[in-house]
């Protein structure tokens, strides 16, 4: 991130989002077992599921001053099945999906349930 301009807050968030999205491989949890990895373990393993990747991205963003929260979403009413990071960029919360090849700001279509967890 040394090549970013001073106070390039949006650009630095974009670089971190791309790093977690592209360099950490998405894998599912062991069947029937919810597994959580620390950010350090995830960096060492190089792979994890949506909550692992969301936690890593939030930690990286928080470490350079960005406020973050988690959004748990579901595609059936009353059922949560996915987690993504949201970061406060300017005056709005920006979703940062890390399990799909999408840019920051993209939000999963068809969400029927949502719960926000503030850090």
């Amino acid at each position: 991130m040394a090549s970013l301009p001073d106070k390039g807050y949006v650009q630095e968030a974009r670089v971190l989002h791309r790093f977690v999205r592209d360099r950490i491989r998405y894998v599912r949890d062991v069947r029937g077992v919810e597994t959580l990895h620390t950010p350090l373990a995830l960096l060492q393993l190089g792979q994890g599921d949506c909550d692992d990747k969301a936690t890593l991205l939030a930690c990286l963003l928080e470490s350079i001053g960005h406020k973050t929260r988690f959004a748990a979403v579901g595609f059936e009413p009353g059922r949560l099945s996915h987690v993504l990071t949201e970061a406060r960029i300017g005056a709005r919360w920006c979703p940062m999906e890390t399990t799909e090849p999408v840019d920051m700001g993209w939000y999963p279509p068809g969400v029927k349930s949502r719960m926000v967890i503030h850090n």
Side-chain angles (χ1 to χ4, degrees):
M1 291 202 315
S3 64
L4 294 176
D6 288 345
K7 300 182 182 178
Y9 306 123
V10 174
Q11 295 96 323
E12 68 191 16
R14 185 172 289 117
V15 166
L16 291 174
H17 170 252
R18 287 179 181 160
F19 171 79
V20 175
R21 182 193 68 195
D22 298 344
R23 296 281 184 90
I24 304 297
R25 183 174 179 261
Y26 172 78
V27 295
R28 296 177 292 179
D29 278 330
V30 174
R31 189 169 56 93
V33 179
E34 178 60 39
T35 307
L36 297 173
H37 296 96
T38 65
L40 179 57
L42 189 60
L43 287 169
Q44 291 168 338
L45 289 169
Q47 63 185 28
D49 71 350
C50 63
D51 47 36
D52 296 324
K53 290 178 71 146
T55 300
L56 174 59
L57 179 56
C59 287
L60 292 171
L61 289 165
E62 290 273 347
S63 77
I64 57 172
H66 291 278
K67 187 173 183 174
T68 63
R69 67 185 187 186
F70 297 107
V73 299
F75 305 95
E76 298 174 24
R79 186 163 186 259
L80 301 171
S81 59
H82 182 59
V83 178
L84 63 139
T85 304
E86 294 182 348
R88 187 80 175 182
I89 305 290
R92 70 180 191 95
W93 287 100
C94 179
M96 295 186 169
E97 173 60 57
T98 59
T99 67
E100 299 291 334
V102 294
D103 290 328
M104 89 182 190
W106 181 86
Y107 192 76
V111 169
K112 304 240 188 307
S113 301
R114 176 180 160 88
M115 178 175 68
V116 174
I117 301 134
H118 291 270
N119 295 336

